[in-house]
């Protein structure tokens, strides 16, 4: 279980469960992640790693399932890694999802495409 604690000074901390606690507060996870920018979610990820020496995304995926798990995984990725994964999905297997490729590549700046290219190479 992952529990979310909000301190009075609006700092957010994800906390490991204590023995005897059960369940995951999915609403709290949704509220935390959807009300933050990607940059803030990356800071949360880094803080979680520093506090617990664990990967937040792996812990979230182990607690969540189905579509919610997929959405959370997408939210927790940096934009370049998310785009790289989506491009990989668009060209994998039979056929190509040309709409996805066009949407991603035509709506990004040159700098974003360069970051995407580097992330795509790392994701292979």
């Amino acid at each position: 279980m992952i529990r979310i604690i909000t301190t009075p000074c609006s700092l957010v901390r994800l906390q490991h469960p204590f023995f005897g606690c059960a369940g995951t507060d999915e609403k709290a996870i949704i509220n935390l992640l959807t009300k933050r920018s990607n940059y803030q979610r990356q800071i949360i990820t880094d803080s979680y790693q520093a506090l617990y020496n664990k990967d937040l995304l792996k812990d979230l995926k182990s607690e969540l399932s189905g579509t919610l798990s997929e959405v959370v995984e997408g939210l927790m990725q940096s934009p370049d890694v998310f785009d790289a994964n989506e491009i990989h999905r668009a060209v994998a297997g039979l056929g190509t999802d040309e709409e996805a490729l066009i949407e991603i590549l035509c709506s990004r700046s040159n700098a974003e495409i360069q970051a995407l290219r580097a992330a795509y190479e790392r994701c292979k």
Side-chain angles (χ1 to χ4, degrees):
M1 175 181 91
I2 297 174
R3 195 176 269 164
I4 298 174
I5 298 173
T6 306
T7 64
C9 56
S10 298
L11 297 174
V12 178
R13 206 172 78 185
L14 292 168
Q15 186 178 52
H16 281 289
F18 294 103
F19 292 106
C21 294
T24 298
D25 190 352
E26 291 179 354
K27 280 187 175 185
I29 291 171
I30 292 167
N31 285 332
L32 171 70
L33 298 180
T34 60
K35 294 181 179 177
R36 305 293 186 289
S37 68
N38 187 275
Y39 176 74
Q40 291 170 319
R41 289 190 297 270
Q42 299 309 311
I43 291 172
I44 291 169
T45 299
D46 294 343
S47 298
Y48 189 86
Q49 177 70 37
L51 281 170
Y52 304 111
N53 199 28
K54 294 188 84 173
D55 185 296
L56 176 58
L57 182 56
K58 286 182 183 177
D59 284 356
L60 286 170
K61 286 174 66 174
S62 73
E63 293 290 329
L64 305 172
S65 62
T67 304
L68 180 58
S69 178
E70 292 173 20
V71 169
V72 166
E73 181 177 2
L75 285 170
M76 297 307 293
Q77 295 173 351
S78 62
D80 56 332
V81 171
F82 179 80
D83 286 348
N85 287 330
E86 290 304 303
I87 286 178
H88 184 34
R89 276 188 262 251
V91 299
L94 296 174
T96 299
D97 185 350
E98 294 171 357
E99 287 182 25
L101 293 174
I102 291 168
E103 181 180 338
I104 292 169
L105 295 174
C106 292
S107 63
R108 305 302 187 261
S109 68
N110 286 340
E112 290 170 328
I113 290 176
Q114 291 303 318
L116 163 62
R117 182 179 176 194
Y120 187 84
E121 291 296 322
R122 289 191 309 268
C123 292
K124 280 186 178 180

